[in-house]
Each structure stands twice: as structure tokens, then as C-alpha cells.
Amino acid sequence: MGSGVLMLRLAGPMQSWGDASRFNRRETRTEPTKSAIIGLLASAEGRTREDPIEDLLQLSFGVRVEQQGLVMRDYQTEKSIERKRNSTSFAKVLPVTNRYYLSDAMFLVVIGAPRATLETLDDALRHPRWPLYLGRRSCPPAYPFNLGIHEEYEGIEDALEHHPWQAASWYRRSHPGERLEIVRDAVGEESGEVQNDLPVSFSQRHREYSGRAVHRYYIANPSDKRHDEATDAATDAAADHDPMFFA
């Protein structure tokens, strides 16, 4: 038996997971990025943007899409000031920005690390130093958020392929037996794509990311009646955890 894995259930009215947003267009991927989850963990531990994150880069990481969300565009304007042409006075301008979100999405995030690291992260998530959010500050997580450490799995691949389906009951009724997409760190010679979502530094002065090899595939839905009952029981057990509680 290995050291287990740490599991998060990411759900909420809105989420946004950008990896290539620039200026007035802020897009979202269809699943959480590794950089966003590392940032979430660092925030829970109380790290600043200037603190080192090398230890968090060693975490094994995988996501399973429990509930496909709808991509939505939010119409926003940003108030700024520009100098009037041939004048010393200024004019207020309201440039339009396009910000994209996922609505009603849900993800199972699985994190692998030595047992001591998992316990440290689990404690930080239960008593976060700073607020936790799903990609943007306007997107708080819903109950239950931290599913805790699971020792019954050998690693993230085992957990992603066998853990009970976490989708909401209304979604399970309308999508019975839906195949689930897994997006995880590629291992060895596995085929895949490269995503620019491995943070080198979160510093405001020099934010930097590097590429990460990602393996994508689909699995048959692991849920059946027994799994549904187990999922409901696990949800009830985790309902006393408030992701916005700070202590």
C-alpha cells in the first residue's frame, strides 16, 4: 500500500482556468490547470507570490471531469484614464473585456506526494491562511471541497480510474453511465500534449511558466448503485468542511 492520495472536489456556480489569457481577453480551459491548483495550495499554506514553490512542483497531478460545464462569456468593462489628444486633461474610458467561465462544472482533482506532504496540504486546506477560489477570486468553491487523504489507492492513476463518480444527482440522472475524461501528468513514454501550465514563479514582477506533458484519455464510468451510495455517504461526511473557514 502506498502513501495514498489527496482528493479535491471542485464545484461551484462558476470556475475559470486560464493558461494563455492576455489583456482584455481572459479565456478558460475546460479543466483545472496544474498552475492554478499549485497556486490554490500555496494560498492555503499562506505563501506569498515571492515565496519558493519548488516543492509543490514535485506533486503528481491529475483531473477527472465529473460534470462538463458550459463555457460562458461575461461582458465587462474596465475603467481607465487616458490623456486627451493635444490636451493636458484626461478622459475616462471603459474598454470592453471578454472573460470566460465554466458554469455548473465539477472536477475530481487527485494529488500524489509522500505521506507527510499530503498531511501538510490536507491540514492547510482545512485551515487556509487565505481565501481559496476556483481560478478567479469571484469563483468560491462549493461543499464539499477537500475530500481528504485516501489510502485505498496506490496512486493518482488508480484513484482517477476507480473513485466513485462525484457528479451531482441531477447530472447523473440526465447523463447515466457517461464516459469520463482524465487529464493527468504524462508518465514515461506516454503520448500526449504539452501545456504551458507548470509555474516557475508566481512573482508579479516576473511571472513565468514552463511546459508540462499531459496525457488525456477516457474511461468507462466507475459508478454504479453501490458507488452512488458511497458517494452520497462521503459527501455527507465531508459537509462539515468549510473551504472559506480561516483559523
Side-chain angles (χ1 to χ4, degrees), residues 76 98 108 149 168 216 244:
Q76 296 186 12
N98 294 292
L108 177 68
I149 297 173
R216 292 175 176 268
M244 302 302 287

Side-chain angles (χ1 to χ4, degrees), residues 33-48:
T33 59
K34 189 169 187 175
S35 61
I37 299 305
I38 288 177
L40 184 150
L41 296 173
S43 181
E45 291 188 316
R47 304 192 196 196
T48 70

Side-chain angles (χ1 to χ4, degrees), residues 17-19 28-34 61-65 68 102 107 156-157 160-161 179-187 189-197 212-219:
W17 310 104
D19 67 347
T28 180
R29 295 192 67 91
T30 54
E31 79 283 334
T33 59
K34 189 169 187 175
F61 171 78
V63 177
R64 193 175 75 191
V65 181
Q68 296 186 36
L102 292 176
F107 305 96
I156 66 169
E157 182 177 2
L160 289 167
E161 295 183 2
R179 287 170 59 80
L180 305 180
E181 183 181 18
I182 289 176
V183 186
R184 60 169 173 78
D185 293 334
V187 179
E189 300 298 321
E190 287 181 334
S191 61
E193 61 188 60
V194 175
Q195 291 182 190
N196 192 44
D197 71 344
R212 173 176 67 103
V214 172
H215 185 51
R216 292 175 176 268
Y217 59 101
Y218 285 83
I219 62 168

Side-chain angles (χ1 to χ4, degrees), residues 21-26 76 78 95-100:
S21 298
R22 293 292 185 272
F23 307 111
N24 64 347
R25 185 179 179 88
R26 303 297 177 88
Q76 296 186 12
E78 292 184 351
V96 174
T97 65
N98 294 292
R99 298 173 185 265
Y100 293 83

Side-chain angles (χ1 to χ4, degrees), residues 1 30 44 53 99 132 142 175 187 206 221-222 233:
M1 182 66 67
T30 54
I53 54 172
R99 298 173 185 265
L132 307 180
H175 298 76
V187 179
H206 186 60
N221 198 309

Side-chain angles (χ1 to χ4, degrees), residues 5-234:
V5 295
L6 178 62
M7 290 189 178
L8 306 180
R9 174 183 173 275
L10 306 188
M14 305 287 278
Q15 306 183 34
S16 188
W17 310 104
D19 67 347
S21 298
R22 293 292 185 272
F23 307 111
N24 64 347
R25 185 179 179 88
R26 303 297 177 88
E27 298 184 352
T28 180
R29 295 192 67 91
T30 54
E31 79 283 334
T33 59
K34 189 169 187 175
S35 61
I37 299 305
I38 288 177
L40 184 150
L41 296 173
S43 181
E45 291 188 316
R47 304 192 196 196
T48 70
R49 288 185 176 273
E50 307 300 326
D51 288 336
I53 54 172
E54 284 79 5
D55 56 325
L56 297 179
L57 300 183
Q58 306 306 312
L59 300 174
S60 299
F61 171 78
V63 177
R64 193 175 75 191
V65 181
E66 306 294 272
Q67 194 169 302
Q68 296 186 36
L70 297 175
V71 177
M72 303 183 68
R73 184 181 68 172
D74 187 27
Y75 176 90
Q76 296 186 12
T77 59
E78 292 184 351
K79 184 176 181 179
S80 61
I81 297 178
E82 291 184 354
R83 185 185 295 273
K84 292 181 179 179
R85 188 174 182 179
N86 300 322
S87 173
T88 59
S89 61
F90 292 84
K92 294 180 180 179
V93 294
L94 298 173
V96 174
T97 65
N98 294 292
R99 298 173 185 265
Y100 293 83
Y101 298 84
L102 292 176
S103 173
D104 289 332
M106 185 184 299
F107 305 96
L108 177 68
V109 169
V110 181
I111 298 166
R115 179 68 187 215
T117 300
L118 294 180
E119 291 177 348
T120 297
L121 295 175
D122 180 52
D123 182 68
L125 290 168
R126 294 181 185 280
H127 308 89
R129 175 65 178 81
W130 289 318
L132 307 180
Y133 48 88
L134 306 182
R136 294 200 187 124
R137 291 185 177 88
S138 59
C139 304
Y143 281 145
F145 171 68
N146 180 9
L147 301 182
I149 297 173
H150 287 252
E151 299 179 340
E152 67 269 32
Y153 300 117
E154 291 291 339
I156 66 169
E157 182 177 2
D158 184 27
L160 289 167
E161 295 183 2
H162 297 99
H163 195 68
W165 194 19
Q166 299 294 299
S169 57
W170 65 265
Y171 189 90
R172 290 189 302 216
R173 287 193 298 269
S174 58
H175 298 76
E178 180 175 71
R179 287 170 59 80
L180 305 180
E181 183 181 18
I182 289 176
V183 186
R184 60 169 173 78
D185 293 334
V187 179
E189 300 298 321
E190 287 181 334
S191 61
E193 61 188 60
V194 175
Q195 291 182 190
N196 192 44
D197 71 344
L198 190 63
V200 176
S201 170
F202 286 127
S203 172
Q204 295 280 35
R205 293 173 293 180
H206 186 60
R207 190 175 301 183
E208 184 179 357
Y209 300 89
S210 63
R212 173 176 67 103
V214 172
H215 185 51
R216 292 175 176 268
Y217 59 101
Y218 285 83
I219 62 168
N221 198 309
S223 186
D224 57 23
K225 184 176 181 180
R226 291 179 296 105
H227 285 140
D228 289 345
E229 292 172 351
T231 299
D232 293 341

